[in-house]
Amino acid sequence: MASTIKSKVFDSEEASAMVKELRVTFDCGKTRGYEWRTSQLKALIKLTEEHEKEIVQALHSDLAKSETEAFVQEIAMLKNSCKVALKELKHWMTPEKTKTSIATFPSSAEIVSEPLGVVLVISAWNYPFLLSLDPVIGAIAAGNAVVLKPSEISPATSSLLAKLLGDYMDNSCIRVVEGAVDETSALLQQKWDKIFYTGNGRVGRIVMAAAAKHLTPVVLELGGKCPVVVDANINLKVATRRIIAGKWGCNNGQACISPDYIITTKDYAPKLVDALKTELEKFYGKNPLESEDLSRIVNSNHFARLTKLLDDDKVSGKIVYGGEKDESKLRISPTVLLDVPRDSLIMSEEIFGPLLPILTVDKLEESFDVINSGSKPLAAYIFTANKKLKEQFVTTVSAGGLVVNDTTLHLAVHTLPFGGVGESGVGAYHGKFSFDAFSHKKAVLYRSFIGDAPVRYPPYTNTKLRLLKALIGGGILGIIRALFDALWFCPIRCHANTDITCVAANQPRNAKKPTNPSSHDHRLSSSAVFKVQGNVYPLGHYTVSLNIGYPPKLYDLDIDSGSDLTWVQCDAPCKGCTKPRDQLYKPNHNLVQCVDQLCSEVHLSTDHHCASPDDQCDYEVEYADHGSSLGVLVRDYIPLQFSNGSVVRPRIAFGCGYDQKYSGPTFPPSTAGVLGLGNGRASILSQLRSLGLIRNVVGHCLSARGGGFLFFGDDFIPSSGIVWTSMLPSSSEKHYSLGPAELFFNGMATTVKGLELIFDSGSSYTYFNSQAYQAVVDLVTNDLKGKQLKRATEDPSLPICWKGSKSFNSLSDVKKYFKPLALSFTKSKNLQMHLPPEAYLIITSHGNVCLGILDGTEVGLENLNIIGDISLQDKMVIYDNEKRQIGWVSSNCDRLPNVDRDFEGNLPHPYAANLGIFGDSCPASYEVTDGQ
């Protein structure tokens, strides 16, 4: 069993001998096995369960902790850490398979987690049981030999730890050294494979300096001044209780993540102070010095330090609650101070006690500058219902961890890393992060003697140089072109017993090489067309059906030119999904990694960061109507049949959405997801273009009678009659913007000018900003005076509806009462988009006519002006991303273009082989199939 090193003189010589013994044991491989690791973790649980009473008594002796606080915040959390490690350990230890590049083909690779060796853990006094053994759990789980140095400032717990670990743990691998500065100094003189220290920054610098002499890596869990930002218009009672729980409920403020100070506005501060007074009295009574639920100050030195902070002339008159002290019992009551100067002593160092200053600012946004003007804290908290303020807080404030609308709870989430940044710490732990903190991630690449490429060996030639550049660049098409230029055709063996020849589409094998091969068109195909279903009313969306996966499965997707990411509802499980589980998409080892270049395109934040290269790529899409989809990026086959007859199965990245939110009073659409047609790099269109399959052009033709068609590529664009206008620079925001435009009514100019418009096929209706909307309403309403129409306020379909003497069956019955609208683009001479009554009216199920132009400001679109499906009906609309222009032309959207006319409804038999890129085992991004 584990031995306890108790010696009158524990000097450097004894420390060196101990480390040598442990290193011999480690080198024998004893700690590396799964069985040894689990046996020691189970022993930790056993000692905790069998000696819970003694642990509680030791914590009460050192800090007067209540039994509840000792159990919840130390014993239970430690047991949970052990149980998580036991449950996940096999998974953590398993080598992680990773992809290799074409430059090393054929090969495989994995990441092996190996123990570092002999490690030192120096723990803190404020949570002496948890903070001593929680890092030890990670060290044992990773397979290391460990020396634990508990804090001498909590002597009862230190002594108990030495006894219990001596009785329950393996003394050949796990040791405990008690003592103070001399013993710690002797330990720091030794060479360790890692040092884990929890405490203050002053000692942290000493530890880091000692480690640097041996180039020993460190984890430093330090602290800092953890701020709490409090906004108005929140649930003040709940917020106050959570602040109190994080401050005085955590060892009476003697915790590294306890709130150190509050920032709120001058107007809101009095309400916050009153709430704190009320709740503090409820929790700890009118005489909190007598409360058994408050821990005492750890010793007289810290009591004197805190007293000095309170006696500072700059703050002594700022106390608005508390301030009572009992030096004989080392107790200080919960103390709140208001309008403390930022240059006071209490604001210059971490308080680490029951004192809570409140700073006030004119605007809450100023609080971020206050926080960032100091050292980066271990944690930062905000209470607000303002979504933008939350986002600004997360983006702007740098801290070890952030919590929104609570305090300290992130400590209990084992899937989150716990650690500081800057002066608040180095490294992180908890859960798998503890295992990783004490592991070396060893890269392993496996190759055989097959596939030795002469291109890597001298003598070097221009051809070899071109191939090497293509290989290193990682572009499959570049490699193909390099081979094509070098050999004109090259046999590539992919599937078993299948030889493919790299030949350009429709190019005979015996054809001569072109004199200018660079001008040869390597595109596999031309354009693809899809049948569209749906309508503006009553469905409220247009959809296409897309096959995904292999074997393919059909998904109906809402077409949306207002966003670029395509996503389907995900069997993850799924929150907010509308499809039964058997119709959800199920990922199959095809997650896109966080480091993939597409991943940065699907993040709302510009600060895209991967904690690990192997992390999955999470995405979040927020729509203008405040709906959203959260999920993970996957890559799978999407078979497409092109107008030239070829069939391809490109592997395309798209979202697997497991958390969908819908806004508004209407039911969410019944579709399986969204087909993003925006101009971002994450769109299916952009990916097909990057593979060289089509031009980056997309178009749709939505029929007013329902249905229509959608196409990728430029083959279906009419040769004449199209009205073209340039996209605005803001189209780079993944949607299509154009303008400025002026609104015309019945051929006459109006006061509405300078409209910047977004074409968005994901919106059923057209939305104008409040000024433009009101102008349209006034124009239409005034024009209807004297006509046989009355307001139908009882019709809930849309905000403004009219009824006649009898029900209307179609727009043909009513369009005579309404005048046409038009949008005139001021930068293009004589360029207009005509909006006849059919382009802004609907007939409802109640037999009334309603205005399909809505107030975007009311639904949160602010100043955005969106041209929705209702105004795009019976027009072919083309988004040419390569020429950065948008065009439209009146069209019969009930009939598929070219395919029906030229091929009598049937696509021709696909061309053979094309470029011959096949299969998963090949270094290719897409696959050509035979269409059978």
Side-chain angles (χ1 to χ4, degrees), residues 683-745:
S683 73
I684 286 182
L685 195 69
S686 294
Q687 294 182 65
L688 291 173
R689 178 64 181 90
S690 68
L691 294 174
L693 293 174
I694 60 171
R695 288 187 66 245
N696 197 342
V697 177
V698 63
H700 56 69
C701 198
L702 309 178
S703 173
R705 293 152 296 284
F709 60 87
L710 169 78
F711 58 88
F712 295 164
D714 57 353
D715 282 0
F716 301 121
I717 299 176
S719 58
S720 62
I722 302 176
V723 176
W724 292 102
T725 185
S726 298
M727 298 180 190
L728 288 178
S730 59
S731 289
S732 61
E733 298 174 359
K734 302 182 182 180
H735 51 239
Y736 299 106
S737 301
L738 62 163
E742 179 180 359
L743 181 68
F744 278 65
F745 180 76

Side-chain angles (χ1 to χ4, degrees), residues 49 115 150 156 178 201 252 288 397 415 442 464 469 514 533-534 541 569 593 617 719 741 748 780 827 837 839 842 887:
E49 291 176 342
E178 287 192 89
N252 203 9
V397 174
T415 53
K442 184 164 58 179
K464 287 184 178 181
K469 285 182 177 180
Q533 295 180 317
H541 54 77
Q569 296 179 12
Q593 291 181 317
C617 176
S719 58
M748 303 294 291
V780 173
K827 288 188 178 181
I842 66 165

Side-chain angles (χ1 to χ4, degrees), residues 480 483-484 488-492 500-504 914-917:
I480 293 170
L483 288 168
F484 186 84
W488 177 230
F489 68 89
C490 58
I492 300 180
I500 307 300
T501 300
C502 290
V503 183
N914 292 309
L915 287 182
I917 306 169

